[in-house]
Amino acid sequence: MHLKAVADRPVTTRSAVLQGPLRVEMEERKLGEPGPLDVLVKMMAVGVCGSDVHYYEHGRIGNKQVEYPFIQGHECSGVVVGAGNQVTRVNIGDRVAIEPGAACLRCEYCKSGQYNLCPSVQFLSSPPTNGAFTQYLIHPEHLLFPIPDRLSFEAATLAEPLSVGIHACQRAGLATGATVLVTGLGPVGLTAVIAAKALGAKQIIVSDVEPFRLKLAERLGASAVVHAAEQSVGEQVLKATQGKGADIAIDTSGHPDVLNTAIEVVKRGGKLVSVGFPGTETVPLNLTQMLLKEIDLCTVYRYANTYPLAIQILASGEFDIAPLITDRYFLEETGTAMERARTNKSGSLKVIVYPHGHREGTDQ
Ligand SMILES: [Zn+2]
Ligand SMILES: [Zn+2]
């Protein structure tokens, strides 16, 4: 079945555009022509990611530099409103979660399934590729995943951070019954708790300094919470595991002290999964301990082939995901949304921008 682009499809799209550090302005831009395998998506919800906030404030992450003007946002969902003439996977009207990274699908990494490592990937909102804070987006059909009606657009944006959590668990070879330590409970840490639980972890120990994040982790299935400002993470993990240590530690903080604590409390032969970017390029790690215990270090960069599972987990109803979304803004308020995410680290988790108004469609 071949779909035709809708006759009255929009020719322009309003976007929230970063014009310089901390400066977002609205702009109407011409919409390109979808290619034969491209889909035109009416954007319904876009989450603000920690990486978006970092680029918004500093204009760069490592050697990746923003060139202004630049559109941010990559955790997104919407409705299919048009499609190229060779599109077969989605239909007009489908509600979809949008995977942001378009890899080349030809290089050795893509061919081996590690398309997250594709050197020529174009990832929404990762410079120089523009992102999703826009009313309409043209995106390849193979990166669109239909979502069930019971999953709201805003909840579907969580498929992106949850994908990182799933990839972290898969990199560690998480087996049913595992004991997992998750350090740092931002959205990726909290979705790592969801992923670990969904993939069969028996015991999940979490640590953070924010009590409300610890409470959320508990609601999502954490079996032990450690308030890192008041308790020793090391002691608490050993206590919870009868001195043996965790099978897997997933760190989303990137903090050297936290990583070294994780090395201390991962069991012999266990895995340390590093997800969070550190503040400096070089980080001192206790390699001697790692050698003595033969700990594997797995790093995580984005994800590959995780969206179907992420959507299945989010739509299962088994996890209380609603509290992860704390703030909601119109597209015109994207600058305020970014400021909220930047400055309210102790109160906000996921800040969502609605390119077509709040709570449209099946959102509650
Ligand atoms: Zn993200
Ligand atoms: Zn490739």
Side-chain angles (χ1 to χ4, degrees), residues 49 74-75 160:
C49 178
H74 59 264
E75 306 180 354
E160 207 276 337

Side-chain angles (χ1 to χ4, degrees), residues 104-107 110 118:
C104 80
L105 308 182
R106 286 187 292 272
C107 71
C110 284
C118 175

